Amino acid sequence: MDPSSFAELPRPTRLALHAAAACLGVLVAVLALDVAAGDRLDLPTLHRWAAVLAGALATGTTIARTLVIERDRRAWIPLAIGLGLYTAGSLLWAVFWSGDPDPPIPSAADVLWLAFYPAAYATIAMVLRRSFVRAPASMWLDGLVAVLTFAAAGIALIYGPVFHEATRSDIGVQAAYPIGDLAFVVLVIAIVAMSGWRPGARWVLIGTAMLCWFIGDAINLDSVAGGGAIAHGAADVLWCAGFGLLALAPWAAPSAPEGLRVEGARVLLVPAGFSAVALGLLAADRITTLNGITAGLALCAVAVALARTGLTLREVQLLADARHESLVDELTGLPSRRQFHRRMDTVLREAEVEDLPFALLIFDLDRFKELNDTLGHGAGDTLLQLIGRRLRAALGRDTLLARLGGDEFAVLLPPGSGRADALRAGNKVVDAIAQPFAIEGLTLDVGVSVGIALYPDHAQQDGELLRRADVAMYLAKGAGGGVALYDPTRDLHTRDRLVLGQQLRAGLDRGDEIVVHYQPKVDPQLGRVLGVEALVRWQHPTHGLMMPPDFLPLAEKSGLMNRLTSTVLDQALEQLARWRADGLDLTVAVNLAVGDLADATLGDAVARALALHDVPPTCLTLEVTEDGVIADPDAAAAALAAIARLGIRVALDDFGTGWSSLAHLRRLPVTELKIDRSFVADMVRDEDDASIVRTTLDLARSLRLRVVAEGVEDEDTWTSLAELGADAIQGFVLSHPLPAAQMDAWLAARRDGPIARCAVPTTPTSTHDDEHATPLRFRL
């Protein structure tokens, strides 16, 4: 495999490169020692051949870089060529003109030396194209300040020899070198500025190398302009040092700082330093009159620095605005999620230091998505704004109300607030949102579910406190809305609940832990039993009998819902077959989950179960909730249509709690509506609930649908439903859900003749059509 870095080279190659670097280092050190000793070491031959030796070593190492490492090979080839040409020029000069008191200027060596610059510029362009990114305006201005300042200082250094002796041809040629070096250094400074003053090692090496050459060439220019020969001494040290640095540059690995990084104190300090130098040059010009070019460049640098200062002030203002926007929700004007987390960190520290409790509330709106889908996002945004205003007034100044996103909000109570304070705040939220909202000419009733987590009772870390408040919110949502405290026994995301999910899978595999209880449905006018609803229970070997809210969410999250539904359906049909064999011609209703409606094989599976237990399709009712239909309306419609074609009845459960029930009734093959218990339970005492029940019954009659009222708990409600013409009732007034054996005894105790047959007309409006049946009547 080709090496991609110096460390991957073969050991002999690395040793040779280390030797070349050592030779260059020794050469520079000896030359510097000779200069420091005032040429007392008497090394004229070394000075004569120093540039040739340093150039040869630099050229060789650069050529080796292009030969042995593939990465960026093409970019460094021009530099290798340029160094080779420069070394050839130095060799010509050393052989033919080094000892000549009046050497020819310009000479052939100058042609080779000057050829270095376009080659080196080509390398810079190719490396930039592969490694650099676009910089913002502020960094361009920083670079311009640095470039103008350095150019002003450089011009001040070489101005006299270049411009005062411009008529001499030898001065013109010698001036080309420091001017070329100056342009090179200025270019590298611009690149460094564009990188946020974090250029990476290779640009530092190249820039420092060309700075050494610039100083050396400026010394040489000053010597020639003064009538002397080509300068040696310090100039030789600088030239050789430049060769060494240029030889190292190709070996420096490109690093992340070659991309854009605008950070750190140097982003401000370095441009400020250049600005200070520019001001110093202007001050020096006032005292000694440097030259017009230097003064003009320094003045331009100061002007650009002022423009950069103005841009900085604007960026600071924009940063402040952005910070404000990040802390405030744009739609509602409430604190944002970011500000909420900052405030929560502060409250946590205060509560920990002072050993005080506090409470966190999380709430969202019930069925907000349906509102958005029905009325549009504009109406949803208006609702969120109205809720924000209403809750700010209800909760007061000491409470932080924030919008976390969508229709989710958080309320953070101050340290010292406990359970009672949290419940009061939660009820304030519920009461405030319970008041109708007027939006686009409509009056909307909006529900809310509030979850509460307490510090330190429920959690002591911000993330866990948020999670548990969120869990409590979903507990409230599952209970039909309102306020709920975090309950660890119902947290589906704890380790214990994870274990419980695994146990549920094992219970399904064993087949004896999932049991079905039955609740009867009765004709409210005649008092005869029409059928039963199958309700699942889990007979846990350790925890005992568990209710659906304790394990159905686990089944959904574990992908077990289809298996659970199949188990319940199989047990219910098996029990119904026994009752039919005993002469009890009942119906049974089985609930379908959201995932069941997405199963394309649902119809075939139900048909096989009916055939297995020899139960007529008309004796089975499958109940679906409106939320289940909304999850995937197309899949639900297809699944229910396949079921209806078999002759199975379809009931829409919890009717009246959704946003778009009428739309669903038009699309789905529904034969029965079940009025939600939230309307039935208080219909005798609440005229609004009674009106909803009456309206639902009228709607059902117009659509030729049966109506079942669930949640009937007293005789008065039973009587009212009988008077209104409900087809069936279900609730504790009849019986709690019972196991099959107890349901057998319950039916036997109320049996004095055949029970109404389950076969019904194709388009029934009531269940009173069987005149030959001997009804089973009872009152509690």
Side-chain angles (χ1 to χ4, degrees), residues 424-578:
R424 271 195 301 273
N427 289 324
K428 284 182 181 180
V429 171
V430 173
D431 293 342
I433 296 179
Q435 301 301 316
F437 292 88
I439 298 176
E440 297 184 0
L442 299 175
T443 300
L444 298 180
D445 291 316
V446 180
V448 64
S449 299
V450 183
I452 299 174
L454 303 175
Y455 172 92
D457 296 350
H458 297 149
Q460 299 181 19
Q461 301 295 326
D462 55 351
E464 190 62 16
L465 200 63
L466 275 166
R467 189 191 71 78
R468 295 188 173 184
D470 200 55
V471 168
M473 179 188 72
Y474 281 99
L475 293 177
K477 193 177 293 290
V483 182
L485 275 167
Y486 173 75
D487 182 356
T489 65
R490 301 184 66 185
D491 188 346
L492 303 182
H493 302 280
T494 63
R495 184 179 183 86
D496 291 341
R497 301 300 284 184
L498 183 61
V499 172
L500 198 61
Q502 297 171 347
Q503 292 172 344
L504 177 60
R505 185 182 299 274
L508 282 167
D509 291 339
R510 285 190 292 269
D512 59 348
E513 294 181 12
I514 304 303
V515 296
V516 177
H517 288 196
Y518 301 90
Q519 188 173 37
K521 299 178 181 179
V522 169
D523 183 320
Q525 288 86 8
L526 303 179
R528 69 180 174 186
V529 179
L530 304 173
V532 294
E533 180 177 2
L535 300 169
V536 66
R537 303 289 187 264
W538 182 12
Q539 189 64 53
H540 193 278
T542 303
H543 302 299
L545 191 67
M546 297 180 65
M547 297 295 106
D550 296 325
F551 63 89
L552 287 185
L554 288 173
E556 291 178 354
K557 290 184 177 297
S558 305
L560 300 174
M561 206 64 203
N562 288 354
R563 287 187 61 189
L564 191 60
T565 300
S566 177
T567 299
V568 173
L569 179 64
D570 187 68
Q571 289 191 32
L573 291 178
E574 183 179 4
Q575 181 60 48
L576 183 63
R578 293 196 190 101

Side-chain angles (χ1 to χ4, degrees), residues 355-676:
D355 194 22
L356 293 173
F358 71 89
L360 170 67
L361 288 71
I362 300 291
F363 66 91
D364 70 5
L365 308 179
D366 296 337
R367 301 180 301 277
F368 181 74
K369 181 180 183 300
E370 291 92 321
L371 182 145
N372 261 344
D373 293 343
T374 304
L375 300 182
H377 290 282
D381 290 346
T382 302
L383 176 61
L384 294 176
Q385 291 170 341
L386 293 175
I387 286 174
R389 294 172 197 164
R390 191 178 288 182
L391 289 179
R392 270 184 297 199
L395 294 172
R397 292 173 175 254
D398 294 336
T399 301
L400 176 69
L401 169 67
R403 183 187 177 209
L404 302 184
D407 65 321
E408 188 175 34
F409 295 80
V411 175
L412 186 61
L413 300 186
S417 55
R419 175 192 178 103
D421 300 307
L423 290 172
R424 271 195 301 273
N427 289 324
K428 284 182 181 180
V429 171
V430 173
D431 293 342
I433 296 179
Q435 301 301 316
F437 292 88
I439 298 176
E440 297 184 0
L442 299 175
T443 300
L444 298 180
D445 291 316
V446 180
V448 64
S449 299
V450 183
I452 299 174
L454 303 175
Y455 172 92
D457 296 350
H458 297 149
Q460 299 181 19
Q461 301 295 326
D462 55 351
E464 190 62 16
L465 200 63
L466 275 166
R467 189 191 71 78
R468 295 188 173 184
D470 200 55
V471 168
M473 179 188 72
Y474 281 99
L475 293 177
K477 193 177 293 290
V483 182
L485 275 167
Y486 173 75
D487 182 356
T489 65
R490 301 184 66 185
D491 188 346
L492 303 182
H493 302 280
T494 63
R495 184 179 183 86
D496 291 341
R497 301 300 284 184
L498 183 61
V499 172
L500 198 61
Q502 297 171 347
Q503 292 172 344
L504 177 60
R505 185 182 299 274
L508 282 167
D509 291 339
R510 285 190 292 269
D512 59 348
E513 294 181 12
I514 304 303
V515 296
V516 177
H517 288 196
Y518 301 90
Q519 188 173 37
K521 299 178 181 179
V522 169
D523 183 320
Q525 288 86 8
L526 303 179
R528 69 180 174 186
V529 179
L530 304 173
V532 294
E533 180 177 2
L535 300 169
V536 66
R537 303 289 187 264
W538 182 12
Q539 189 64 53
H540 193 278
T542 303
H543 302 299
L545 191 67
M546 297 180 65
M547 297 295 106
D550 296 325
F551 63 89
L552 287 185
L554 288 173
E556 291 178 354
K557 290 184 177 297
S558 305
L560 300 174
M561 206 64 203
N562 288 354
R563 287 187 61 189
L564 191 60
T565 300
S566 177
T567 299
V568 173
L569 179 64
D570 187 68
Q571 289 191 32
L573 291 178
E574 183 179 4
Q575 181 60 48
L576 183 63
R578 293 196 190 101
W579 284 330
R580 286 173 52 79
D582 291 339
L584 300 176
D585 203 2
L586 302 173
T587 64
V588 67
V590 176
N591 292 281
L592 295 181
V594 175
D596 297 323
L597 296 178
D599 185 359
T601 65
L602 176 63
D604 294 337
V606 174
R608 286 194 298 270
L610 289 169
L612 176 64
H613 298 290
D614 193 23
V615 173
T618 53
C619 288
L620 174 63
T621 301
L622 295 179
E623 297 186 2
V624 296
T625 63
E626 192 169 8
D627 289 342
V629 172
I630 290 172
D632 190 345
D634 294 335
L640 295 178
I643 288 170
R645 284 195 294 270
L646 297 174
I648 299 169
R649 300 171 182 176
V650 176
L652 189 61
D653 201 1
D654 300 336
F655 183 77
T657 59
W659 286 97
S660 51
S661 298
L662 294 179
H664 296 153
L665 289 177
R666 290 170 51 192
R667 294 189 58 190
L668 303 177
V670 174
T671 58
E672 181 179 291
L673 302 181
K674 293 191 72 174
I675 305 177
D676 188 69

Side-chain angles (χ1 to χ4, degrees), residues 197-246:
W197 306 105
R198 295 179 179 273
R202 63 170 51 164
W203 293 114
V204 172
L205 291 170
I206 293 173
T208 306
M210 298 313 298
L211 181 61
C212 290
W213 277 18
F214 170 72
I215 297 173
D217 287 333
I219 293 171
N220 183 62
L221 174 64
D222 186 66
S223 175
V224 173
I230 298 295
H232 289 288
D236 287 335
V237 175
L238 292 166
W239 286 330
C240 291
F243 273 123
L245 294 171
L246 285 175

Side-chain angles (χ1 to χ4, degrees), residues 702-726:
S702 65
L703 297 175
R704 303 177 68 80
L705 302 175
R706 301 178 70 250
V707 175
V708 177
E710 58 182 350
V712 181
E713 298 185 3
D714 55 63
E715 292 256 0
D716 291 339
T717 305
W718 181 342
T719 301
S720 296
L721 289 167
E723 293 172 353
L724 291 173

Side-chain angles (χ1 to χ4, degrees), residues 55 59 79-89:
T59 302
L79 179 62
I81 294 173
L83 287 172
L85 293 173
Y86 201 103
T87 303

Side-chain angles (χ1 to χ4, degrees), residues 277-362:
V277 172
L279 289 170
L281 289 172
L282 288 176
D285 181 64
R286 298 295 295 172
I287 298 172
T288 62
T289 311
L290 297 174
N291 62 78
I293 297 176
T294 294
L297 290 173
L299 186 61
C300 289
V302 172
V304 174
L306 291 174
R308 175 65 173 94
T309 301
L311 181 61
T312 300
L313 293 175
R314 180 172 177 272
E315 288 176 343
V316 169
Q317 181 61 47
L318 291 175
L319 182 62
D321 292 343
R323 182 177 181 276
H324 174 75
E325 291 174 0
S326 71
L327 297 178
V328 176
D329 178 60
E330 181 180 4
L331 179 63
T332 62
L334 297 174
S336 66
R337 177 185 288 271
R338 182 189 296 269
Q339 185 174 352
F340 167 77
H341 282 291
R342 289 187 179 182
R343 176 59 182 158
M344 189 169 179
D345 289 340
T346 302
V347 171
L348 273 169
R349 287 194 296 270
E350 293 176 4
E352 184 176 358
V353 170
E354 301 178 15
D355 194 22
L356 293 173
F358 71 89
L360 170 67
L361 288 71
I362 300 291

